[in-house]
Each structure stands twice: as structure tokens, then as C-alpha cells.
Amino acid sequence: MVTRRTLLLVCVWILLVLTRCGAPRQVQWEPSVYTRLTYQNYRAEKLFHDPLDFTSLDYPRLHAVMFFATNAVRVRHGRSVLAYHPLLEQAARLHAQRMVAQNFLAHENPYDASLRTVEDRVRSVGVVNPEPTENIATYFGIQYQPREPVYRLGGGRGRFSRTPGGPPIAPHTYLSFAEAVVDFWMHSPNHRANILAKEAQQMGCGAAFYWDAQGFPKLKTVQVFQWFQPIQSHSSS
């Protein structure tokens, strides 16, 4: 005979199973991701196809897909694959965050003399032989092309449509954002030269989210490359 206690325990077990199955996927993007995935298979990673959630961005995931998208472009143009280095990611991430917090977009930090140049910033995270170059950009978090006519929608911040009262423009996925911003850089001669430089050996990427003055969701993005020789750091020296 099934008792009330038994039924209660079964119901609790079912609830726990359903809760776990319905829980959002949580991934810790450790450096091992950079060996598990490559420029050849990164597009098959399901988590890269998730839409950007501007209230809770997974920055390490975004940095990783930007890295792989850059290497994919390099290989298509006959260049070598760049190695990932966490200190370059750290330098890129911190510069993106400072540009958002201090409201500027520049290779030179006008607010901190000790972090003025990319060499200063790479040295500040522990690199003892910095030979860096850097790309920066600000890019839309929704699938919108600059100067494309749009209409503002009600119902929340950052909602725009291509037609009056039409469907909202969807947010980028992690993958589509990364490939869009790399393509944006590739259409600029100086940024393209940095991405395709034969001298480059290692790279890290960073990003930081903000709302612009028109209410568009955007990210300031950074690539930092190490040229000529692999990084040496205080921890490795």
C-alpha cells in the first residue's frame, strides 16, 4: 500500500528532476576550452548559439568565440593559428571594462598614465616581454547594421524594429556577434593588418557591455596580440 509519505517523497524527487532539467546551462570557461575547441569545430559548439542575454553575459564564453572566429579568418587568408594566452585576455578584458566605465574608446587611456598604452596594460598584468598590438571596436548587441533605419518599440529598454510596430530586432548569438565584430575589423585596413599579421603569435580577446545614448545595447570589444615571441610572465620566469 502506498502511503502519503511515499507519495510526497516521489513528488519531491520528480520536482527536483524537473528543476535540474529546466535549469539554465552554466559553463565555466576555463583555459581548457581553448584546447578542446579549434577554429575548425568551434561553430558546432551549442553554447555559442545561445542569444546574448544583456542582463547576464557570459564574458569568458564571448571572449572564447571571438578568439576562434579570429583564427578562422586568419586561416582562410593563409595565416598561422594564434595561440591563446590568458594574460592577453585579461589585458583585453580590463581595457574594455575601463573604456565602458570611463566612457572612452581609444588605444590610449586618457585617465591613467600607468595604463596609457597597450604595452603598459599588457605589462601591468604580468607580461615581462610585451610586443603587443591591439584592435578595439564598439558594436551592436542586436542584429542591426549601422545607419540602418529602425523604429523604437515600447515594452522595455533596447527594443527596436525595422518596421513600425514590427517584430523586435533579435539579439546576436555569441557566435553571430563574434563573427560580426571580426568582419567589422576586417573591413578596416589597420585592424585587418593586425588580424592577419604574420608576426603575431598569441592573442586574447575581451568585451564589456553598455547602453549607448540612443538606447542601443552595445559592447566595447578588444583584441590584444603578442608579436615576435611567446609571452614570458612573472609566474613563468
Side-chain angles (χ1 to χ4, degrees):
M1 181 177 180
V2 178
T3 66
R4 181 177 296 179
R5 177 182 175 82
T6 301
L7 287 173
L8 179 62
L9 290 173
V10 170
C11 290
V12 170
W13 179 82
I14 292 173
L15 181 62
L16 287 172
V17 170
L18 291 175
T19 301
R20 289 179 181 177
C21 290
R25 291 171 291 180
Q26 298 293 328
V27 174
Q28 295 295 320
W29 289 93
E30 301 294 342
S32 61
V33 172
Y34 291 90
T35 57
R36 180 173 63 82
L37 298 178
T38 71
Y39 74 93
Q40 296 170 304
N41 65 10
Y42 78 100
R43 299 189 92 256
E45 172 56 57
K46 291 182 179 179
L47 285 170
F48 288 163
H49 292 269
D50 285 347
L52 298 179
D53 178 355
F54 304 128
T55 65
S56 181
L57 283 172
D58 184 347
Y59 283 109
R61 189 194 323 187
L62 185 57
H63 302 165
V65 70
M66 289 170 60
F67 170 86
F68 293 120
T70 304
N71 265 334
V73 167
R74 281 182 59 89
V75 171
R76 285 201 299 271
H77 288 82
R79 300 294 190 263
S80 62
V81 173
L82 299 179
Y84 163 75
H85 201 286
L87 293 181
L88 296 179
E89 179 186 4
Q90 184 179 354
R93 172 178 57 83
L94 291 174
H95 188 49
Q97 290 175 346
R98 292 185 189 105
M99 288 194 295
V100 167
Q102 298 174 314
N103 193 28
F104 73 97
L105 182 71
H107 293 291
E108 293 197 353
N109 185 328
Y111 299 103
D112 189 334
S114 68
L115 301 170
R116 185 175 65 86
T117 68
V118 61
E119 182 174 340
D120 294 330
R121 294 188 290 273
V122 170
R123 196 179 296 277
S124 75
V125 298
V127 177
V128 298
N129 63 330
E131 296 282 358
T133 61
E134 178 184 71
N135 282 343
I136 62 173
T138 181
Y139 205 77
F140 294 92
I142 58 176
Q143 297 181 34
Y144 167 79
Q145 296 296 320
R147 295 178 293 279
E148 180 183 7
V150 292
Y151 301 84
R152 193 181 302 273
L153 298 175
R157 194 177 191 182
R159 286 169 50 84
F160 296 88
S161 176
R162 292 184 174 87
T163 58
I169 299 173
H172 273 291
T173 65
Y174 285 82
L175 176 63
S176 68
F177 177 84
E179 294 186 337
V181 75
V182 171
D183 183 69
F184 178 76
W185 276 318
M186 286 294 289
H187 282 83
S188 165
N190 290 338
H191 297 100
R192 180 187 180 95
N194 283 340
I195 288 174
L196 299 182
K198 294 181 179 179
E199 300 87 348
Q201 295 201 4
Q202 296 166 302
M203 178 180 60
C205 300
F209 175 78
Y210 72 105
W211 296 98
D212 78 0
Q214 287 73 44
F216 282 100
K218 286 186 173 181
L219 292 101
K220 292 184 178 179
T221 55
V222 181
Q223 295 172 309
V224 179
F225 305 88
Q226 169 78 353
W227 282 22
F228 304 126
Q229 57 183 323
I231 280 175
Q232 298 175 25
S233 65
H234 293 299
S235 60
S236 61
S237 58

